[in-house]
Amino acid sequence: MKLPMHKNLLLFFLLAALPVYAMAQVQFVQRAEVPTEWSDRDYIVLPTQEGTIGFRVKARKGFSLEQRLQYFFTNMRLQGSGVYEVPIKDYFDLIGFDLDDDYLYTLFQKGESYSSEKVVYEVDLATHQVREVALDNILEMELQEFLIMEKKAILMGMMDYRPAIQLLDTENGSVITVQGVYANEVSILQLRKDPELKVFDVLVSKRDRYKKRSLAVMTFDLEGNKLREVKVEPNNRPDLEIAEGILTPMDDYSQVLIGPFGQRKRDPNMGVYFSKINEFGEYENRFLTLADFKQFYNYLPEKQQAKREKKLERDIEKEKDLTLSNTLVTRGIVAGENYFLVYNDYYLTSSGRTSPRDMMYSSDFYRYAPMSMRNRVRPGGYPWYYPGSDAMANNEYKFMAAQFILLDEQGQLVWDNSLSLEDVTTSSPGKFGEVSFDGEDLYYLYLEDEKLKLSYLQDGEIELQNEEMPLALINGSERIKDTQAESLSLSWWYGNYFLLSGKQRIRFLDEEGREATREVFFMTKVLADASLKKEAEKED
């Protein structure tokens, strides 16, 4: 079924003025604006091969129930289209989305019941043709992930406290339930599609009848056939337990799994494991602890750092078990030709010294929403949830450090270091910052109180830490009147470019020279470059 599609006359304010230096290492390069209203939902922004796409749901007029899916797209310079509109069913809420080639897929559900009617809208971004796909005969489950590959929808959710995955053919409506996933004491940690190989990976945590946890990597084709299953355990170390992890893309049919590990039934935070899985499903483990992390306590003030390091030396001499006093969670992996950069967050949760490891994993929210969607649980955004969110709703998280580990292709430690996060307290356990790494230069950028903070490491050594910059415009004749803090979202884009988006009120002079205000959703391309500081110093 093809739906009529209308093009809205809203246009971008494309600002092509010279970039503004907000500080020496960061440059606001380009900016795009779309007219909006303060109470409107934010656009969800995703990267594409050509640039970006932004989309949201908006009532047609005021509080009308007539809804529209609005979308626009830009190139890499944030030069873009107008805003296109697609009529969608009334009383339906957006609960999932994905990109596949030149198509945008959005999944809607009527009401909050898991058994409610669901529909997918397929938008051809080249022709703007729209196809509506009804989701019939699917399980009544709490959806946690929605991916599209080769016109097949991969639906993953929870049903009766057990995970389930179904494949729906969007062209003929057939449904396949993936076998081997639905079981007691199983949690899905990661669902990853591989368009090149036309397969998808499911990383699960299992607990046996003796309450011992292990991870399993299962690979399926698009017909639901299991191609392989690899059970990853701390071989020859029955005292240890691998709690969670992140799976890298396949490279020559081999993959790497990295994450935190701990002592079974005792402490889940002892360090980081590295498991390299070959094409035959064989793997080798390497375990890194505080004894390997020479720079772990760099985030502390000098006196506290020296005190902790002396205690660590004594513990090593006495051959004591080395444990971390708070929660260490792997947030991301940058895989190069012969290296793996691992980004971990180190934080304290108000629910206790460590995060719970049963049925809710502290990095789940990042896994299910990789495009900086963690702010959507706040008022004004879309209600994206993660497993265990109700139980963790009143928790607070004090972020102490961002730890970085560079490993070679065999898992040997090249360098490590830790940046202070200055004990910032938030209500979200999601990934704290964004990383750019090219094998030598590491830029770490995060948002705090409507400001950007940048750190820079070169070959593992800290050159800059938490240098603050306010948000700024590119057009020097305009001013920011107000920024909607809960709408702000920051993500790494490509190279050493980041993408900042959100809603602002902008003061400017109209054609008659009078002061006026406009409300916009903006996107700003942010460049992090340490050489800018050197150039500025030369000019001084």
Side-chain angles (χ1 to χ4, degrees), residues 413-432:
L413 183 66
V414 179
W415 56 255
D416 74 284
N417 220 322
S418 297
L419 296 166
S420 172
L421 296 181
E422 302 176 337
D423 291 346
V424 174
T425 300
T426 76
S427 58
S428 169
K431 181 177 62 161
F432 194 82

Side-chain angles (χ1 to χ4, degrees), residues 111-161:
E112 296 182 359
S113 172
Y114 305 148
S115 61
S116 297
E117 182 183 353
K118 295 180 178 65
V119 63
V120 170
Y121 293 99
E122 176 195 81
V123 182
D124 187 326
L125 299 178
T127 66
H128 306 293
Q129 295 296 311
V130 181
R131 187 166 65 97
E132 180 182 316
V133 181
L135 272 66
D136 299 322
N137 303 318
I138 63 171
L139 295 172
E140 297 178 4
M141 58 183 177
E142 178 187 4
L143 188 73
Q144 294 179 344
E145 183 65 288
F146 168 74
L147 298 176
I148 292 281
M149 185 166 55
E150 299 287 314
K151 302 284 186 178
K152 299 284 184 69
I154 307 170
L155 303 161
M156 186 270 283
M158 296 292 291
M159 189 177 72
D160 299 328
Y161 302 100

Side-chain angles (χ1 to χ4, degrees), residues 489-501:
S489 181
L490 176 71
S491 60
W492 171 76
W493 192 2
Y494 68 95
N496 52 342
Y497 290 100
F498 298 80
L499 193 63
L500 175 68
S501 64

Side-chain angles (χ1 to χ4, degrees), residues 263-540:
Q263 292 174 308
R264 187 184 172 201
K265 294 185 178 180
R266 291 179 61 190
D267 200 311
N269 291 289
M270 290 186 69
V272 173
Y273 71 90
F274 174 96
S275 296
K276 189 166 188 177
I277 308 169
N278 66 21
E279 58 186 307
F280 305 108
E282 303 165 333
Y283 64 92
E284 293 182 2
N285 291 326
R286 185 178 296 277
F287 297 94
L288 302 171
T289 69
L290 280 172
D292 302 292
F293 302 148
K294 305 302 181 185
Q295 312 294 333
F296 184 85
Y297 292 116
N298 270 7
Y299 71 94
L300 293 170
E302 190 173 341
K303 289 185 179 179
Q304 290 185 38
Q305 179 182 340
K307 185 177 179 180
R308 292 284 184 91
E309 289 177 347
K310 285 182 180 179
K311 182 181 183 302
L312 177 60
E313 290 176 5
R314 291 195 300 268
D315 290 344
I316 293 174
E317 290 175 0
K318 295 178 181 179
E319 298 183 351
K320 286 187 176 182
D321 289 329
L322 305 178
T323 60
L324 298 165
S325 55
N326 297 295
T327 302
L328 187 74
V329 177
T330 300
R331 299 301 199 184
I333 302 170
V334 180
E337 289 188 8
N338 55 4
Y339 65 79
F340 297 93
L341 177 81
V342 185
Y343 158 38
N344 299 315
D345 276 334
Y346 187 57
Y347 63 85
L348 172 66
T349 173
S350 60
S351 64
R353 191 168 62 84
T354 58
S355 295
R357 290 310 204 240
D358 288 336
M359 301 306 293
M360 187 286 183
Y361 288 76
S362 47
S363 51
D364 269 349
F365 193 47
Y366 165 60
R367 307 277 167 72
Y368 298 145
M371 301 299 179
S372 293
M373 296 303 301
R374 58 190 179 279
N375 67 322
R376 306 299 170 184
V377 298
R378 299 176 181 174
Y382 288 92
W384 306 118
Y385 297 105
Y386 55 93
S389 61
D390 293 338
M392 306 289 282
N394 297 321
N395 281 354
E396 289 189 334
Y397 304 86
K398 183 167 72 174
F399 284 83
M400 292 171 286
Q403 185 207 24
F404 298 98
I405 306 168
L406 186 66
L407 307 174
D408 66 17
E409 49 196 335
Q410 301 304 320
Q412 296 275 8
L413 183 66
V414 179
W415 56 255
D416 74 284
N417 220 322
S418 297
L419 296 166
S420 172
L421 296 181
E422 302 176 337
D423 291 346
V424 174
T425 300
T426 76
S427 58
S428 169
K431 181 177 62 161
F432 194 82
E434 295 290 322
V435 179
S436 164
F437 183 66
D438 62 3
E440 180 180 338
D441 294 325
L442 189 157
Y443 296 96
Y444 181 68
L445 197 63
Y446 64 90
L447 274 166
E448 184 187 348
D449 298 330
E450 299 179 30
K451 295 184 178 70
L452 290 173
K453 287 194 173 182
L454 177 72
S455 298
Y456 168 59
L457 281 73
Q458 185 176 43
D459 291 327
E461 296 298 323
I462 299 174
E463 302 290 338
L464 176 74
Q465 186 164 198
N466 294 328
E467 187 157 339
E468 185 178 286
M469 59 170 292
L471 305 186
L473 301 175
I474 291 178
N475 189 334
S477 65
E478 298 183 337
R479 297 290 181 268
I480 299 173
K481 181 179 180 181
D482 198 8
T483 298
Q484 193 178 89
E486 64 268 22
S487 74
L488 292 177
S489 181
L490 176 71
S491 60
W492 171 76
W493 192 2
Y494 68 95
N496 52 342
Y497 290 100
F498 298 80
L499 193 63
L500 175 68
S501 64
K503 288 204 287 281
Q504 289 179 329
R505 291 190 178 104
I506 306 299
R507 285 204 305 259
F508 66 100
L509 296 179
D510 62 19
E511 295 179 355
E512 299 178 0
R514 294 179 298 187
E515 185 176 290
T517 302
R518 65 176 183 266
E519 294 181 354
V520 299
F521 179 86
F522 74 94
M523 295 191 301
T524 298
K525 186 176 181 179
V526 181
L527 169 66
D529 189 349
S531 65
L532 296 174
K533 181 179 180 180
K534 297 175 183 177
E535 293 174 6
E537 290 173 347
K538 288 179 182 178
E539 292 176 3
D540 292 341

Side-chain angles (χ1 to χ4, degrees), residues 73-137:
F73 45 89
T74 78
N75 60 17
M76 293 294 188
R77 295 179 57 80
L78 294 186
Q79 296 167 330
S81 64
V83 178
Y84 294 85
E85 287 193 339
V86 175
I88 57 176
K89 291 186 174 183
D90 298 337
Y91 304 105
F92 277 68
D93 296 316
L94 178 64
I95 62 171
F97 55 85
D98 195 22
L99 289 174
D100 190 42
D101 293 328
D102 292 327
Y103 292 89
L104 169 66
Y105 292 86
T106 52
L107 172 61
F108 287 82
Q109 176 178 285
K110 186 175 183 179
E112 296 182 359
S113 172
Y114 305 148
S115 61
S116 297
E117 182 183 353
K118 295 180 178 65
V119 63
V120 170
Y121 293 99
E122 176 195 81
V123 182
D124 187 326
L125 299 178
T127 66
H128 306 293
Q129 295 296 311
V130 181
R131 187 166 65 97
E132 180 182 316
V133 181
L135 272 66
D136 299 322
N137 303 318

Side-chain angles (χ1 to χ4, degrees), residues 193-262:
K193 67 179 183 179
D194 191 324
E196 185 176 340
L197 298 176
K198 295 181 175 53
V199 300
F200 62 94
D201 292 318
V202 184
L203 176 63
V204 302
S205 171
K206 296 183 176 182
R207 188 165 63 177
D208 62 22
R209 58 179 179 171
Y210 302 108
K211 306 301 182 182
K212 182 180 179 182
R213 281 209 174 274
S214 63
L215 297 189
V217 181
M218 295 183 284
T219 303
F220 298 89
D221 64 19
L222 291 175
E223 301 303 319
N225 300 309
K226 186 190 293 184
L227 303 180
R228 73 169 184 177
E229 179 173 355
V230 181
K231 186 177 181 180
V232 180
E233 295 181 296
N235 296 334
N236 304 319
R237 292 293 305 274
D239 58 315
L240 298 183
E241 183 174 81
I242 292 176
E244 54 188 73
I246 293 180
L247 190 65
T248 67
M250 285 193 183
D251 181 19
D252 243 356
Y253 295 95
S254 67
Q255 286 177 290
V256 167
L257 183 63
I258 300 174
F261 75 94

